[in-house]
Amino acid sequence: MRARFHIMVLIITGIASLKAGEYADAFLLASQYPHAQSLGYSSVAATVTSGHAMNNPAGFALIKKPQINMVYEQFGGLASNVGVEASMVTRSSYAIGITIIHNSVADLYYRPNLSGLTPITRRDSVLSLGVGAGNSINYREDALFLTVAHEYTFEINMGWKFFKIPCRLPLGFSLKYLDKVLVDNRGIGSGIDFGGQLLFNLAGMNQILEQTEFGIGLFFSDILNTPVYWTTEHQDAIKRGLATGYSVSQNLLNYSSRVSFTYASQSRYKNVSQYGVELNLKNTVYLRGGHDGYMPSFGLGIALKKFIIDYSFSQHELAKMQKIGINYKF
């Protein structure tokens, strides 16, 4: 995401204080799981395999059995990300999700004067200092999400004999705790997120639409402008953000497959649209592609009995971003 590029430039240039509210959650925004990243982060209205806390907490409500998901990301040798997500379903059909995210930039050497250099030249210049002595910058960001979600079902009766619209309405709330370190400074924050989806089909119209599922989604993050308090007595406010989108999924019964199209826009990025497409081949192979408004992305998923292995790749300004995730359903 564009935010990852901005904060990497800030760290590389040795700036030890963040601009209030602008980069306070830059690494967290880039902590999406492979499924969402491969779709260009356009999946707010889609059903994804994992990463619900960052994509849309309502996604936990669609989980019917306990599962655990893990993800590892390598951002071109500059940063690494590890995430663990676990979920369970109560007897009353409420889903409980726990998500842990760890981002880090360790031992990154910096030069005090990088003016006049392009971002790529800055990166290479800083990385070249690793072979010698020099001051270094450490950045760490940990996050903990506790999510409660529930799916509601109902039917819209249009008054026609064959036109009743079955609907599913998953909703989810997340409480999150943030703990980050930049150089020698530590910041602590907490916030609330909310997400919802409306999934439906027009089964009463014709046989083709009976196999088509439409989705509308929204993700309202940092509802209370999440404050982050630093030991330097500086305060960042992670400004509230709204992601909205829609999805269309078509079952291909003759091929035991499914194709899905996704679209999203986010209030954080003006005049930016995000797109994605996924081809599910017999619930075994998943081919994905997308565009986040700046760069294209690609992904592959492979199902092996109770496991699904996800991989995603995208090229960003400073380096390549690759993620691999393992999802296990009990």
Side-chain angles (χ1 to χ4, degrees), residues 73-263:
E73 171 199 347
Q74 183 60 248
F75 188 63
L78 297 174
S80 63
N81 170 286
V82 177
V84 178
E85 175 184 84
S87 59
M88 61 172 291
V89 181
T90 67
R91 292 183 178 180
S92 56
S93 299
Y94 280 85
I96 308 296
I98 297 177
T99 305
I100 300 174
I101 296 173
H102 173 74
N103 285 295
S104 64
V105 177
D107 299 327
L108 179 63
Y109 290 88
Y110 74 94
R111 291 171 50 191
N113 183 12
L114 293 171
S115 60
L117 301 180
T118 66
I120 300 298
T121 305
R122 292 182 183 184
R123 177 200 65 185
D124 295 340
S125 176
V126 171
L127 291 178
S128 66
L129 295 176
V131 298
N135 296 324
S136 63
I137 297 173
N138 290 317
Y139 182 89
R140 169 186 63 79
E141 180 170 15
D142 296 322
L144 172 65
F145 295 78
L146 176 61
T147 306
V148 178
H150 185 68
E151 181 184 42
Y152 300 88
T153 60
F154 59 94
E155 187 177 75
I156 299 177
N157 191 339
M158 303 297 292
W160 304 347
K161 182 178 180 180
F162 299 106
F163 196 6
K164 296 180 180 179
I165 304 176
C167 299
R168 295 185 294 156
L169 181 66
L171 301 174
F173 285 91
S174 292
L175 298 178
K176 62 184 178 184
Y177 170 79
L178 307 177
D179 184 351
K180 55 185 70 183
V181 172
L182 177 57
V183 191
D184 297 322
N185 304 319
R186 185 181 182 187
I188 302 294
S190 59
I192 301 175
D193 299 337
F194 166 76
Q197 294 178 332
L198 176 63
L199 307 173
F200 62 94
N201 65 52
L202 303 177
M205 297 294 289
N206 56 53
Q207 291 183 347
I208 295 179
L209 289 177
E210 185 178 359
Q211 300 302 321
T212 306
E213 183 176 69
F214 300 89
I216 301 173
L218 65 84
F219 179 24
F220 197 14
S221 61
D222 303 293
I223 296 175
L224 303 179
N225 287 328
T226 301
V228 178
Y229 300 95
W230 292 86
T231 52
T232 57
E233 299 184 358
H234 172 74
Q235 178 181 342
D236 289 324
I238 303 178
K239 299 177 182 179
R240 64 176 62 93
L242 177 64
T244 58
Y246 60 80
S247 65
V248 180
S249 298
Q250 179 67 51
N251 289 314
L252 308 174
L253 297 182
N254 293 337
Y255 304 96
S256 301
S257 301
R258 180 182 177 98
V259 60
S260 302
F261 301 91
T262 57
Y263 167 85

